[in-house]
């Protein structure tokens, strides 16, 4: 609680002393007032017990500003150190600290070309025992995939504003870190080996690390992208089944929350964020002791009970590393896995979706904030 309060108070002080990377136009307009202040090089920083030197997006060291007996801190650098997302809305002239909405950043699919898919497969094939290819399937809207290559003992995906490394080793060992839970329930950790925050988590037999070298992406954004890193299947299209975001309307989100609110102790709402391309969300409702999402080709049920326990089944590992179980209570196969304090079950009543497609959709079920 003390650390949380510290973050809030520091974030409040930082607002007036902001140095926002990429905040084009922040000095424009008629609301500016000229002052005389001092760069205070006599103040040092200690974050979570470790020395810290704030820098800008180009790696230049930053100093606090002292004005009228008050000290103002660089908001971007300190927010990154405290793992508090920060951004600037140029249209509103507004600094946003923390998560502004239930969807802090729009995601878009990474569409790999045939040549890029081949390059991904070849990069992983260079390492014995590490040939299975993995790749991020999403990026923050506006970002661009640039290249992939093998180096050291891992594979690096380079985007304009993001880097994703897949390695058999956990390079976060030895650094002070902070555990976070990703939206799919996987535990990850933030650590800072130099001036750039790194997000690392284990996925099957390897470790995935995401960062934003130019500091354009916040921790919240990188955590969103992290859950999209999946195994790249060597099937007909050499990649992951195409999927689309489920864009719930305000009314649909209200209906989702109301459905979960009908159950005592089960009020936190969860919902699938993706569907197979070409599918359509139809309705959501509470029934029995769970909430059911109905699509044209898929049903997703969220319940506090595991109805698969009395059936024989097959255990599988989802693309995000979570264990799930396939079982068949009647004529329709069901996929069930535990997410936090509940069980999620997916099926395709009209049998139009394959097991692989449903396993991919399963990792998109997330908490609705």
């Amino acid at each position: 609680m003390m650390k949380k309060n510290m973050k809030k108070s520091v974030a409040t002080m930082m607002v007036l002393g902001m140095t926002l990377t990429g905040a084009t136009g922040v000095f424009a307009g008629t609301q500016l007032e000229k002052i005389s202040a001092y760069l205070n090089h006599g103040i040092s920083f200690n974050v979570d017990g470790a020395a810290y030197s704030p820098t800008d997006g180009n790696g230049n060291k930053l100093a606090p500003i002292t004005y009228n007996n008050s000290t103002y801190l660089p908001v971007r650098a300190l927010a990154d150190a405290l793992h508090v997302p920060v951004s600037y809305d140029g249209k509103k002239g507004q600094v946003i600290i923390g998560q502004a909405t239930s969807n802090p950043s729009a995601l878009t699919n990474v569409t790999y070309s045939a040549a890029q898919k081949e390059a991904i497969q070849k990069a992983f094939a260079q390492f014995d025992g590490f040939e299975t290819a993995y790749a991020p399937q999403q990026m923050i809207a506006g970002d661009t995939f640039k290249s992939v290559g093998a180096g050291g003992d891992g594979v690096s995906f380079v985007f304009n504003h993001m880097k994703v490394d897949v390695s058999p080793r956990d390079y976060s060992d030895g650094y002070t870190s902070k555990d976070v839970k990703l939206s799919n329930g996987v535990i990850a950790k933030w650590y800072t080996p130099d001036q750039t925050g790194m997000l690392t988590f284990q996925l099957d037999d390897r470790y995935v690390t995401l960062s934003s070298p130019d500091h354009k992406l916040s921790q919240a954004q990188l955590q969103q992208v992290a859950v999209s890193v999946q195994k790249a299947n060597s099937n007909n299209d050499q990649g992951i089944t195409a999927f689309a975001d489920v864009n719930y309307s305000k009314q649909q989100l209200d209906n989702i929350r109301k459905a979960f609110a009908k159950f005592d102790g089960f009020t936190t709402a969860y919902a699938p964020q993706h569907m197979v391309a070409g599918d359509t969300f139809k309705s959501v409702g509470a029934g029995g002791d769970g909430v059911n999402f109905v699509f044209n080709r898929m049903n997703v049920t969220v319940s506090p009970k595991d109805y698969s326990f009395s059936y024989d089944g097959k255990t599988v590992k989802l693309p995000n590393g979570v264990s799930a179980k396939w079982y068949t209570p009647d004529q329709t196969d069901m996929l069930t896995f535990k997410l936090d304090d509940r069980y999620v079950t997916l099926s395709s009543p009209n049998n139009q979706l394959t097991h692989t497609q449903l396993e991919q959709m399963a990792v998109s079920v997330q908490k609705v904030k």
Side-chain angles (χ1 to χ4, degrees):
M1 181 63 71
M2 183 178 295
K3 185 180 291 185
K4 184 176 181 181
N5 291 336
M6 179 190 73
K7 288 183 181 181
K8 288 183 178 179
S9 60
V10 170
T12 301
M13 289 190 295
M14 290 190 295
V15 175
L16 292 179
M18 63 186 177
T19 55
L20 281 168
T21 302
T24 304
V26 69
F27 298 112
T30 60
Q31 303 300 314
L32 297 178
E33 179 180 350
K34 188 175 181 179
I35 63 172
S36 178
Y38 299 90
L39 291 175
N40 194 336
H41 296 285
I43 294 179
S44 62
F45 297 87
N46 187 295
V47 178
D48 289 339
Y52 174 74
S53 297
T55 59
D56 63 17
N58 296 317
N60 300 314
K61 189 173 180 179
L62 298 172
I65 291 175
T66 297
Y67 171 68
N68 279 355
N69 297 318
S70 293
T71 298
Y72 298 88
L73 310 180
V75 63
R76 169 69 72 184
L78 266 296
D80 283 348
L82 295 172
H83 305 307
V84 177
V86 61
S87 59
Y88 178 73
D89 187 330
K91 293 182 179 180
K92 296 181 180 179
Q94 184 181 61
V95 178
I96 302 169
I97 298 175
Q99 189 167 300
T101 66
S102 60
N103 182 21
S105 303
L107 296 177
T108 186
N109 293 343
V110 182
T111 304
Y112 297 107
S113 67
Q116 289 169 338
K117 292 173 183 175
E118 184 177 357
I120 292 170
Q121 299 288 344
K122 288 182 177 179
F124 281 92
Q126 292 187 33
F127 303 100
D128 290 340
F130 198 64
E131 295 90 351
T132 302
Y134 286 67
Q137 301 304 312
Q138 290 194 312
M139 59 187 174
I140 297 299
D143 206 352
T144 305
F145 172 65
K146 297 173 66 178
S147 64
V148 62
D153 62 355
V155 177
S156 295
F157 294 80
V158 178
F159 295 75
N160 277 341
H161 304 307
M162 176 178 68
K163 191 166 178 278
V164 180
D165 295 298
V166 185
S167 171
R169 296 184 182 180
D170 179 7
Y171 287 103
S172 69
D173 280 347
Y175 292 98
T176 301
S177 62
K178 176 188 175 184
D179 288 349
V180 293
K181 183 179 285 189
L182 303 180
S183 57
N184 58 4
V186 172
I187 299 299
K189 57 182 176 180
W190 279 104
Y191 71 105
T192 307
D194 45 37
Q195 303 300 324
T196 301
M198 304 282 188
L199 176 68
T200 291
F201 64 97
Q202 186 170 0
L203 177 57
D204 296 335
D205 61 344
R206 55 204 68 197
Y207 293 87
V208 180
T209 300
L210 296 91
S211 63
S212 180
D214 63 1
H215 301 275
K216 292 291 182 69
L217 304 186
S218 67
Q219 279 84 1
Q221 290 173 316
L222 290 172
Q223 287 171 203
Q224 283 182 283
V225 176
V227 301
S228 79
V229 180
Q230 300 181 11
K231 186 181 297 183
N233 298 325
S234 57
N235 53 19
N236 292 336
D237 65 356
Q238 291 186 333
I240 301 299
T241 301
F243 56 82
D245 292 340
V246 184
N247 295 313
Y248 297 107
S249 66
K250 183 179 183 302
Q251 183 61 56
Q252 289 170 335
L253 288 172
D254 287 342
N255 291 340
I256 291 170
R257 293 188 179 95
K258 288 178 181 177
F260 280 91
K262 292 184 178 181
F263 304 98
D264 291 338
F266 197 62
T267 52
T268 302
Y270 287 67
Q273 303 301 313
H274 300 150
M275 58 188 173
V276 170
D279 206 352
T280 304
F281 172 64
K282 297 172 64 177
S283 65
V284 62
D289 61 357
V291 177
N292 190 40
F293 294 81
V294 179
F295 294 76
N296 278 339
R297 303 176 184 175
M298 173 177 71
N299 279 0
V300 180
T301 302
V302 185
S303 171
K305 294 184 179 180
D306 178 10
Y307 288 103
S308 72
F309 76 94
S310 61
Y311 294 94
D312 292 332
K314 176 186 177 182
T315 300
V316 295
K317 188 168 286 189
L318 301 181
N320 60 2
V322 172
S323 292
K325 176 182 177 182
W326 278 106
Y327 70 105
T328 308
D330 45 40
Q331 301 300 318
T332 301
D333 292 344
M334 304 281 190
L335 176 68
T336 292
F337 65 99
K338 189 174 183 182
L339 177 58
D340 296 335
D341 62 343
R342 56 205 67 200
Y343 293 87
V344 180
T345 301
L346 296 90
S347 65
S348 180
N350 56 17
N351 295 315
Q352 290 189 6
L353 301 187
T354 66
H355 280 201
T356 299
Q357 289 173 316
L358 288 172
E359 288 171 14
Q360 288 179 270
M361 296 309 103
V363 303
S364 81
V365 180
Q366 301 178 15
K367 188 180 296 183
V368 177
K369 297 180 181 178

